[in-house]
Amino acid sequence: MGIGSGLGAQVGVAAESSYGTFVAPTRFPEFTKESLALKKTTAQSSGIAAGRQLALSSRRVVTQREAAGSLEMEVTNKLMGLFLQALMGTTVTPVQQGVTTAYLQTHTLADVAGKSLTIQKGVPLTTGTVTDKTFVGCKVQSAEFSCEVGGMLTVSIEFDSKDCDETQTLAVASYPQMAPFHFGQMAIKTGSFGTETALDGVRKVSVKIERPQATDRFYAGQAGLKKEPISNELTKITGSLEMDYVATAVDDLHTSDGGTSLVWEFIGPIIASTYAETFRIKLPVVKIDDAPPTVDGPDVVKPKFGFTGLYDGTNLPAIEYMSADVTL
């Protein structure tokens, strides 16, 4: 018998070979919060019948079904590949480093066509019975990464989903030993692309990557379900740096509207040889949007610089992930 609370919950994930076609979960990430839920559109007949004071239940119909929600978790040294691939769009095969047990995934920004997930969640009744809710055709709409002083690297991922299926068998979850990336491993680098150097004074960083898509592709002949969403706007990359005012480098970029490459990385323990657990976001050029420093009182000046990630014409944004995962 399971635990009749959130302690008994689980989430399983698998990549789909075709949009909206169930694939049994093979990866079971540890999560902190989720909000995936079915959304249905109903229509109620307004027909008049002599003497009837209330609409008939038989005249209510479900005309569309879809699902949406978010998944929040710590970014760990294993099992992140499927989410990164669904976010960034490139089909990735982990590359073995030398003859070691370290494998590098390079997720370069590309179209997200064909990148969908099956996400199955187990929701416990108070009796301990865990109910199945399986979301097919899950497309990543955005992901926001964040880390601050004393904290872990976290991510909140927003999904659009084709449908919720409650007829599948709940997969048996299994969990490898995992460790989170954290502030003690974090570094921020800025400068020319490929030769960035450490930026001092940074206390908190966040980066949000949005993949806008047409999620309203409901057509006749689809049984009230949508076709795969397709990209319909440019990718949006935004973020912020919260820091002590130790130097004017970022402030000067705000004044001049100059660009800089930004690398946000976490370097963990060695996996094998010289290869360490790594999570790295590479933005070839960012522009500082707002928040030059102001003095709010006697404390250390702590500006928060918002930025936008752009294309430098040559190098695309990418996320590099080094782990012991042989496959995504």
Side-chain angles (χ1 to χ4, degrees), residues 53 68 74 76 106 123 130 149 166 186 207 242 251 302 322:
Q53 300 296 309
E74 297 153 2
T76 57
T106 302
V123 183
V130 182
V149 171
E166 298 185 11
M186 185 174 91
V207 172
E242 296 185 28
D251 186 22
K302 293 181 170 66
M322 182 93 74

Side-chain angles (χ1 to χ4, degrees), residues 41-292:
T41 300
T42 62
Q44 177 70 56
S45 171
S46 57
I48 297 172
R52 184 185 297 151
Q53 300 296 309
L54 189 64
L56 285 172
S57 64
S58 61
R59 300 291 295 277
R60 171 169 155 153
V61 294
V62 176
T63 60
Q64 294 176 195
R65 288 170 59 94
E66 59 183 320
S70 64
L71 186 63
E72 299 179 18
M73 68 185 81
E74 297 153 2
V75 178
T76 57
N77 62 346
K78 294 179 182 177
L79 304 189
M80 298 306 299
L82 289 178
F83 296 115
L84 297 177
Q85 179 173 261
L87 169 66
M88 299 300 285
T90 299
T91 299
V92 171
T93 299
V95 177
Q96 185 177 16
Q97 304 300 288
V99 292
T100 72
T101 55
Y103 289 79
L104 175 64
Q105 302 175 24
T106 302
H107 298 269
T108 305
L109 188 70
D111 187 23
V112 293
K115 299 299 185 295
S116 63
L117 304 172
T118 292
I119 300 180
Q120 184 183 65
K121 70 175 184 178
V123 183
L125 298 172
T126 55
T127 59
T129 300
V130 182
T131 64
D132 158 65
K133 294 184 183 297
T134 298
F135 298 86
V136 294
C138 294
K139 301 277 291 185
V140 173
Q141 303 296 293
S142 70
E144 183 167 14
F145 301 88
S146 181
C147 185
E148 62 184 332
V149 171
M152 296 179 182
L153 173 61
T154 61
V155 63
S156 177
I157 308 174
E158 295 284 342
F159 295 96
D160 176 84
S161 175
K162 180 178 183 178
D163 196 14
C164 177
D165 179 0
E166 298 185 11
T167 66
Q168 299 295 337
T169 300
L170 186 66
V172 177
S174 61
Y175 301 96
Q177 289 291 105
M178 294 183 287
F181 291 100
H182 59 82
F183 182 80
Q185 302 166 334
M186 185 174 91
I188 286 286
K189 300 178 181 179
T190 57
S192 299
F193 182 81
T195 59
E196 301 89 351
T197 58
L199 180 65
D200 192 15
V202 177
R203 303 176 60 86
K204 181 178 180 180
V205 182
S206 67
V207 172
K208 184 174 185 179
I209 301 174
E210 300 176 67
R211 306 307 307 266
Q213 295 159 66
T215 59
D216 57 352
R217 300 182 66 214
F218 292 94
Y219 305 143
Q222 299 297 317
L225 302 177
K226 69 177 69 175
K227 300 278 278 187
E228 181 179 1
I230 55 178
S231 299
N232 64 350
E233 288 186 41
L234 295 174
T235 298
K236 300 175 183 177
I237 302 177
T238 56
S240 65
L241 301 172
E242 296 185 28
M243 54 194 304
D244 287 356
Y245 196 45
V246 301
T248 65
V250 180
D251 186 22
D252 291 343
L253 289 171
H254 172 262
T255 301
S256 67
D257 202 40
T260 182
S261 175
L262 187 146
V263 175
W264 182 23
E265 68 180 14
F266 296 78
I267 306 298
I270 293 292
I271 300 171
S273 183
T274 59
Y275 304 106
E277 297 169 354
T278 301
F279 182 88
R280 179 182 294 116
I281 296 179
K282 300 171 70 175
L283 303 178
V285 61
V286 301
K287 297 270 189 169
I288 307 301
D289 295 320
D290 55 20

